Amino acid sequence: MTKRKKKRLLLGMFIGASALISGCGASSDTRDIVYIGHNQAADHPTNIALLAFEEFIESRLGDKYNVEVYPSELLGSQTDMVQLTQTGAIDICVASNSILETFSENYTLFNMPYLFASAEAYHGAMDDKNVTDPIFESTRDAGFQAVAWLDAGTRNFYTVSTPIHSPADLKGLKIRVQQSPTNVQMMNLLGGSATPMGFGDVYTALQSKVIDGAENNEMALTSNGHGDVCKFYSYDMHQMIPDILVANNKFLEEMPEEERAVFEEGFALVNQVEREEWVKAVEQARERAEKEQKVQFLYPDTKPFQDICMPMHEAFLKSYPDIQPIYDQIQQYNARYPSAAE
Ligand code: GCU
């Protein structure tokens, strides 16, 4: 049994009998299977970008690699997928930067509320290797590394029935947040009751009123159907949290240099395609949410939200002084690209 086939067997044990059966099946295909998992639907920019990656790698190295993209949490939640990437049971996955905070504290930086003053500042900083390298490399000892970032827009609050105009409106509401200490802290500071859970459980939790709302970009309304239940989406703009494409160290480091160069080109393509698709997808999501799902978009003054959250920056930098130089570089992007309101 080849190393890759063995891996498939292990993966099958994790995702269930059907994968196990297909993993054991005799196959004349000797190509290495590259397993990629993510939690978005088939029509999401993330999936479109990863399919472009599959096509690119197979067009260049198709005699050697068979790339398989598994969307919609088919390989588990983001936390599960990162753990599978750590052990090498899968090769690559997409994880929200929020989730990665529990694997390396350095990632906490990009989860800070109101870290970036504008989308331009966010994009500029994330494209700057001096900013991202110290963060992206920090999980190397944990068995994986970040190979690209993906735009996931701006995160905002949305609720089933309570319009959020100011932090006071969040009081007493149970709001789903991602499973990250920073997000829990932010939500509680803002006055809501933080309810951490995996992305795949949010729709049912909203529908069954276990939670009163959540926070995410506009795609969650349409691609994940949250707009079928939540009728108020409030642009408080609390975070711009990137998604991160992470890969198993051994998988990357054991391949010949020429092949690695092709994969690196492929990772850059994922970033490029996803960002192009993102702009179109958000526009369509807003239109669909408004017209078909009857979601009302609200534009509160963001300052009261920001004022409550800003002390989190200072506290974080005090605990992790090594991050200060990177934080300062981000401030330079903020100065260059201040928000439209300033
Ligand atoms: C966004 C993000 C995902 C993340 C999700 C969440 O959709 O792109 O990576 O899992 O938010 O709120 O969990």
Side-chain angles (χ1 to χ4, degrees):
M1 194 187 287
T2 66
K3 193 176 69 181
R4 292 273 156 187
K5 288 266 158 61
K6 241 189 253 164
K7 225 166 61 167
R8 188 175 183 115
L9 190 63
L10 278 173
L11 178 62
M13 286 161 80
F14 180 79
I15 61 175
S18 60
L20 183 62
I21 290 161
S22 76
C24 289
S27 160
S28 57
D29 193 342
T30 55
R31 293 178 300 165
D32 281 351
I33 299 167
V34 179
Y35 291 99
I36 307 183
H38 68 89
N39 70 355
Q40 303 291 1
D43 64 349
H44 192 278
T46 295
N47 196 55
I48 296 171
L50 288 171
L51 293 180
F53 177 79
E54 173 179 341
E55 204 182 307
F56 173 77
I57 296 296
E58 292 186 356
S59 76
R60 299 282 292 272
L61 300 169
D63 54 333
K64 176 108 195 256
Y65 293 99
N66 172 12
V67 178
E68 292 189 358
V69 179
Y70 292 86
S72 309
E73 295 198 10
L74 282 171
L75 302 185
S77 69
Q78 284 190 338
T79 304
D80 295 333
M81 286 189 281
V82 174
Q83 284 164 353
L84 289 171
T85 306
Q86 264 185 307
T87 62
I90 68 175
D91 305 292
I92 298 171
C93 74
V94 179
S96 169
N97 188 85
S98 291
I99 295 299
L100 295 173
E101 165 179 315
T102 52
F103 293 86
S104 157
E105 280 139 353
N106 286 9
Y107 278 89
T108 308
L109 175 65
F110 299 144
N111 297 334
M112 282 291 129
Y114 300 101
L115 177 67
F116 301 108
S118 64
E120 291 75 14
Y122 166 49
H123 294 165
M126 292 306 298
D127 280 336
D128 182 343
K129 286 198 169 302
N130 293 323
V131 172
T132 56
D133 273 359
I135 315 286
F136 285 3
E137 305 254 315
S138 65
T139 51
R140 204 173 265 276
D141 290 346
F144 67 94
Q145 56 197 279
V147 290
W149 70 277
L150 312 181
D151 198 353
T154 307
R155 296 184 78 95
N156 301 289
F157 292 114
Y158 53 93
T159 61
V160 176
S161 54
T162 314
I164 307 296
H165 298 291
S166 74
D169 296 325
L170 288 164
K171 201 166 171 49
L173 297 187
K174 280 199 193 132
I175 305 287
R176 179 267 174 174
V177 293
Q178 291 177 285
Q179 292 132 311
S180 115
T182 303
N183 290 353
V184 170
Q185 196 195 355
M186 174 195 74
M187 190 64 253
N188 291 338
L189 272 177
L190 285 169
S193 170
T195 312
M197 67 175 73
F199 195 37
D201 298 325
V202 181
Y203 182 84
T204 311
L206 286 168
Q207 212 180 26
S208 59
K209 306 220 160 28
V210 168
I211 50 175
D212 302 298
E215 49 78 56
N216 213 322
N217 57 57
E218 299 88 334
M219 289 295 293
L221 298 173
T222 53
S223 190
N224 305 95
H226 298 178
D228 294 343
V229 192
C230 293
K231 298 304 166 192
F232 296 99
Y233 187 95
S234 199
Y235 278 105
D236 66 287
M237 316 281 282
H238 55 263
Q239 283 159 321
M240 294 178 195
I241 297 188
D243 280 337
I244 311 289
L245 191 66
V246 301
N248 175 267
N249 282 345
K250 273 202 186 142
F251 164 70
L252 285 181
E253 283 157 13
E254 283 178 0
M255 68 174 71
E257 225 172 275
E258 324 79 71
E259 291 176 12
R260 175 78 188 263
V262 177
F263 272 83
E264 294 298 340
E265 238 184 281
F267 297 143
L269 181 73
V270 175
N271 170 279
Q272 185 204 318
V273 173
E274 194 272 347
R275 286 165 73 180
E276 283 162 14
E277 292 293 325
W278 182 260
V279 178
K280 292 184 265 173
V282 167
E283 208 178 293
Q284 284 163 9
R286 274 180 56 86
E287 200 177 312
R288 218 192 107 203
E290 209 158 33
K291 292 205 178 121
E292 293 171 27
Q293 297 174 308
K294 310 288 175 215
V295 174
Q296 215 177 309
F297 288 96
L298 308 167
Y299 299 88
D301 177 7
T302 59
K303 190 158 185 307
F305 295 88
Q306 196 166 348
D307 287 349
I308 292 173
C309 294
M310 285 318 273
M312 287 177 71
H313 292 206
E314 209 183 305
F316 169 63
L317 292 169
K318 214 166 158 192
S319 306
Y320 300 98
D322 289 355
I323 299 290
Q324 184 77 51
I326 311 174
Y327 181 84
D328 294 343
Q329 287 183 60
I330 293 175
Q331 297 316 314
Q332 287 176 20
Y333 283 99
N334 287 343
R336 197 174 317 157
Y337 305 110
S339 74
E342 282 176 65

